[in-house]
Amino acid sequence: MRGEYKVPGGKLVAVDVETDEAGERLARVAVSGDFFLEPDTALEDIDAALVGMPATASVAQLARAVEGVLDETVTMVGFSAEAVAIAVRRALGHATGWHDHTFEVVHEGPQSPAMHMALDQAISESVDRGERRPTLRIWEWGAPAVVIGSFQSLRNEVDPEGAERHGITVVRRISGGGAMFIEPGNTITYSLTVPGSLVEGLSFEQSYAFLDDWVLGALGSLGIEATYKPLNDIASPAGKIAGAAQKRLVGGAVLHHVTMAYDIDADKMLEVLRIGREKMSDKGTKSANKRVDPLRSQSGMAREDVIEAFKSYFASRYDTVAGEVTDTERARAAELAETKFSTQEWTARVP
């Protein structure tokens, strides 16, 4: 049995595993990859540390076993004990990799802000129940909006007079994170909804980097030097490009959505959002309008062309099929849009 794990920003770790006749313990383990390890004899120590471990051992247990045979003389570059453990879990079938799945790509026409919030929840519920493949959904916005995080204070984040003056709808999403300022032609937003097995063993921070890795490659293909900046930003030397947010569902599925500034009306944004000094204090800049560098200026491409390039790049890396929102999901989303995401009770649940 073979499992692989590509460390975001690092190297590939592969593990070949055999279990005992009862399938209860690891009988043979062979770790390999394009990482760097000194001294090279440490590889044999890592293999030996995993032999005899229960086949049901968690990532944390396997990582501790590896760490137990490493001392200050060992140098690991491009991988970690945790990366080895994740690869072992994949080899044993407890976790999956990107290439174990076929992804649906959904790109439909414009929706209202409330409907987008509702579609995120409805599609995530389907993935969580195993009724839908992992899904990449590209959003088209039907109206300008401010989308606040699940736990943000409405009054602290949004200036209601500014929102009303500019005709901006305020909605609250089911994931955490910060506020997003949306204008239909100036924003690129997508959701990636995956089963829990794909991020099995990853911490929240690791899962952000892991699920953002493909879009860093897509941006790179457009000539944009993009990097992941913990916890949930995608940045370039010119400034922040995008922010991500996540929601973990009961069954383990993960909703990971990203909003990118293709272009931005910074003056309008600052009239609508209340961005305080405390939030800016660790961003290395005194002004919010200098914090975000739009994708348009960095790519020189039309928004539609950037989106098509993203879709093509995703399909070049993973197995994909064209998808659509099912009738059941659309009905569920319509109900949620009316009874939840359009209501003041939900939007102001944290006043």
Side-chain angles (χ1 to χ4, degrees):
M1 297 176 286
R2 182 178 178 84
E4 295 182 348
Y5 175 61
K6 169 65 170 61
V7 180
K11 298 297 184 177
L12 178 71
V13 179
V15 181
D16 292 286
V17 174
E18 293 179 9
T19 59
D20 59 21
E21 291 186 2
E24 296 178 351
R25 294 193 174 271
L26 308 186
R28 187 184 76 85
V29 179
V31 178
S32 61
D34 59 354
F35 49 77
F36 300 92
L37 177 65
E38 294 291 346
D40 56 13
T41 53
L43 187 62
E44 298 172 5
D45 296 333
I46 292 172
D47 292 345
L50 293 167
V51 171
M53 290 291 293
T56 56
S58 67
V59 166
Q61 291 170 323
L62 294 167
R64 282 196 296 270
V66 172
E67 291 166 352
V69 299
L70 306 177
D71 58 31
E72 66 277 0
T73 66
V74 176
T75 301
M76 305 172 76
V77 179
F79 79 123
S80 64
E82 203 165 45
V84 173
I86 292 168
V88 170
R89 291 280 294 178
R90 289 183 174 179
L92 294 168
H94 301 310
T96 58
W98 291 96
H99 297 291
D100 295 317
H101 300 282
T102 296
F103 292 81
E104 290 192 31
V105 178
V106 177
H107 188 186
E108 298 186 336
Q111 302 288 343
S112 70
M115 190 62 173
H116 273 310
M117 304 304 106
L119 284 168
D120 253 5
Q121 180 171 336
I123 289 173
S124 298
E125 289 171 348
S126 292
V127 173
D128 200 46
R129 292 191 297 264
E131 297 172 357
R132 163 183 279 279
R133 294 184 177 106
T135 299
L136 173 67
R137 182 173 75 91
I138 311 295
W139 300 24
E140 294 292 349
W141 291 92
V146 165
V147 183
I148 60 175
S150 181
F151 312 108
Q152 287 189 296
S153 163
L154 177 61
R155 69 165 67 98
N156 288 346
E157 297 299 325
V158 182
D159 183 324
E161 293 180 359
E164 183 177 0
R165 182 165 61 251
H166 294 293
I168 291 176
T169 301
V170 180
V171 290
R172 185 185 295 274
R173 62 182 184 267
I174 60 174
S175 62
M180 308 185 310
F181 176 74
I182 306 295
E183 291 187 294
N186 291 346
T187 307
I188 296 175
T189 305
Y190 68 83
S191 300
L192 183 61
T193 310
V194 300
S197 61
L198 186 61
V199 297
E200 202 267 359
L202 300 180
S203 67
F204 274 89
E205 182 170 330
Q206 288 172 326
S207 69
Y208 273 94
F210 181 68
L211 295 176
D212 279 338
D213 190 60
W214 77 270
V215 83
L216 299 184
L219 288 165
S221 73
L222 302 181
I224 299 172
E225 182 186 344
T227 56
Y228 163 74
K229 184 177 179 181
L231 171 67
N232 61 333
D233 286 352
I234 297 171
S236 74
K240 176 180 173 180
I241 296 173
Q246 285 188 5
K247 171 70 175 178
R248 305 272 175 132
L249 278 75
V250 174
V254 176
L255 165 64
H256 179 93
H257 41 204
V258 172
T259 291
M260 297 187 171
Y262 171 72
D263 205 345
I264 195 164
D265 185 333
D267 292 334
K268 185 186 295 185
M269 178 182 74
L270 293 174
E271 290 180 23
V272 176
L273 294 183
R274 290 174 168 155
I275 302 176
R277 293 180 181 178
E278 182 68 21
K279 185 168 184 178
M280 302 304 300
S281 63
D282 68 341
K283 305 299 183 181
T285 182
K286 295 180 180 178
S287 174
N289 62 1
K290 293 181 180 177
R291 208 185 131 213
V292 180
D293 191 80
L295 203 53
R296 179 179 183 177
S297 65
Q298 296 203 51
S299 69
M301 299 170 62
R303 175 183 176 275
E304 294 76 14
D305 293 337
V306 173
I307 291 173
E308 289 305 313
F310 281 4
K311 290 161 62 177
S312 295
Y313 184 85
F314 190 82
S316 74
R317 282 183 61 157
Y318 310 123
D319 186 26
T320 65
V321 295
E324 59 183 18
V325 179
T326 67
D327 291 342
T328 300
E329 290 166 343
R330 199 175 301 280
R332 167 68 171 154
E335 176 191 6
L336 287 167
E338 180 180 354
T339 63
K340 179 177 181 178
F341 294 107
S342 294
T343 67
Q344 188 65 11
E345 288 79 10
W346 171 256
T347 305
R349 78 183 189 102
V350 183

